[in-house]
Every structure is written in C-alpha cells, then in structure tokens.
Amino acid sequence: MDLPFNTATVSLLTVAYIIIFLVALSANILLVYIVFKRPSLKTTINYLFTNIAVFNLLVAVFIMPYSVRHLFVATAWFDGVLGQISCRFIYFLYGISTAGFVLTVIGISLNQFYAILFPSKIIALIRNTRLLSCMIWILSVVLMSPYLAMYGVKEISRQHQCIYVVANRVIIKIHFSSLFVFLYAFPLSLLTILYIFIVRKLWFRTLPGNIHSIHRHAVEMSKRRVICMLIVVIATFASCWLPVHVFYMYMAFENDGNVSVDSDWSLFIMFFAHANNAVNPCLIMAFNRKCRAELIKLCTTNRTPWMRCLRRTGHEESGCQTDTRLTKTRKIQAVENLAEGIARKRGRLYDLNLWTNACSSSPVSLVQFTYCEDAPETEN
C-alpha cells in the first residue's frame, strides 16, 4: 500500500493518535461522570468544565479517527449524497468543538471575574449554567454554519476528495482571518486581561481579622494554585492553537496559492491541536482539589463496578460481611422510620440535636427523638 505521507511520520502519528484518543475518551468521560455523580462538585464552574469535556469528546469520537484515516488515504473520499453529508458533517463538528471550547473558556473566565471582583453583582446569563451552555451551543452552531458550504466532495484526477471547495481568494482570506481573530486573537486577549485583574485581586486582597500563620500559609498556597492554573490554561490554549492559525493564515495569504495542506509538518501541527482535547480534562482534574479527591475515592472505593467484581472474586468473606453490615443498617433505618411514624401519630416530634442542653441529662437513644417540655419543634 502506497502511503501519501512519509512512512515514519504515519507510524509515529498513528501511535500518538491512539494514545491521545484513549486519554481524551477516558478522561473526559470520567470528568463528566464525577461532576454529575458527586454532589460536592455540582457547581457552576464544574458544569462548564463538563461542557468543555463534551466538546473534547466530539473531537475524540469523530475528528481523531478521521485524522488517522487521513494519514493513510489523505483526502480521498466517496461520492454520492452520503459522501457529501459525511464530509461536511466532519468539518462542521470540528468547527463546533473549537468554537464551543473557546466560548466556554470565555464563559468560565467571565464567571470568575465577576465572582472575585464584583461578587455582589448578579449576571443571569453568566450565573445560569443551563442558559449559558445553551447559548454556547447555539452560537457555536451559528458561527460554524458556513463550514457546511465551504467543504465538500469534488472529483480531482479521477478521484473523489473531501476538501475545502472555496476557490475565491478574497473569501478564503476573510474566512481564515475571521477564524484567527474570533477564535484565537480576541479570546486570548480577553482572557489575558480578565486574568490580570483576577490575579491582582487575589494577590493583593486583604482578609479581615487576625490571621494565624497556618491560615496565612493556606491562603498563600491557594493563591499560587490559582495563578498556576490560570497560567497553564492560557499557555496550553495559546501553544496548541497558535501553529494551526499561523499555518492557515499562511495558506490564505500566500500569493501563489500552492501551499499544500498535505505536508508532513502540517500533520504534526494538527496533531498538537487535537492533543489539546486530551490535555484539558487532565489539567482540570490535576488543579481541582475536589475533583482530584473524588477521582482518588472513585478509584480506591469498592463502589465502582470493577472494584466490586474484584472484591467478589478475591474476597468473598469480606463481601459477605459488608452485605451483613448493609442489612443491619437497613433494619435500623426501618426501625427508626417506624418509631418516627408512631411518634407523629401520638404527639409532637422533637429533635434532640437542637436541644442538647435541656435534655443532656437523659441518654440519647438510637432513635433521635424524645418528648421534652421546652424543646424546639422541628419542621415536619
């Protein structure tokens, strides 16, 4: 089989794509699972992080396999209606994932900016996660809709190819210039300005009251973690996407228009852009302490399916003991519920936790209720 690119390049990038595909698929799915299954992580920022994970999954599921195929057959495609739809759909999804990632990062930055510098101001669009996510997806689809007309299948040298079909040089320059401005230069400038104000506020903020040395050290470490996270996020975004935009701008403004997209070094440029989708969830879980703690708990606890299987096959006795404890706990809970129902029918139910001083002389039983003359009444 004759390869359209250098054999060493194809072999190296194929292995690299398999690695980042596995990392991107597992890490992004794991991030979505942890955020939606753990109550402590259900915050606005984490929900927006899951939005990034979904955009990353689009690239991992659709774009990375197409890129591996591109290494072996280049732009060769199949004709017909299905060929036209699939060709346009691949590039359209790639545009949506790129625009969605950029818009989500801007949304997270604006959320942090107002939360730190103007905590008293309530911006409905920024604080409402569902509304913000819907707006991000709608804007991504609208902004990338021209991709449906700019890519297609054409027959070149008796072979059908999925390529960029726009031939007008003016439209090409406007298109790639717009991508560079709205998906790289402007977002990066905005992020830099927002994070400068955020860092200044965090670094020079004076906490009220007397701060002990341990608390002061914790605050300083928190500041350093935030600063490191912001620097890494901006640096990763800039380093992964700058070569891509420079390459496309060079293609658009090259006078002779004979710059080949199918050069070996252009493959490496696109690979680094795709690798960003595998790096993002790893960075989020590495810098988010709660997310990292939940990930460790998920990997070490026996609540996960694979850990349960291991414990059942290797430790049957300990599994039986665990089931026995769970059975006892359910029985105790049933007794408590029955006793509480009886108490509701006979009289008024009171909570001992709110009246420990008045009833401290009487022992606290397993069922946490009693009748005390002056005890405060709980809401039923």
Side-chain angles (χ1 to χ4, degrees), residues 216-248:
R216 183 181 293 108
H217 178 71
V219 172
E220 293 299 327
M221 292 302 296
S222 177
K223 291 180 180 179
R224 293 177 184 178
R225 282 194 299 268
V226 172
I227 293 174
C228 289
M229 182 187 69
L230 302 180
I231 292 176
V232 170
V233 168
I234 296 175
T236 303
F237 172 76
S239 59
C240 288
W241 285 99
L242 179 60
V244 177
H245 288 289
V246 170
F247 173 69
Y248 282 133

Side-chain angles (χ1 to χ4, degrees), residues 77-87 153 160:
W77 206 252
F78 52 95
D79 195 16
V81 178
L82 184 60
Q84 291 286 350
I85 294 176
S86 58
C87 174
V153 178
H160 293 94

Side-chain angles (χ1 to χ4, degrees), residues 88 178 222 258 296 322:
R88 298 168 192 266
S178 301
S222 177
N258 294 324
I296 295 174
T322 304

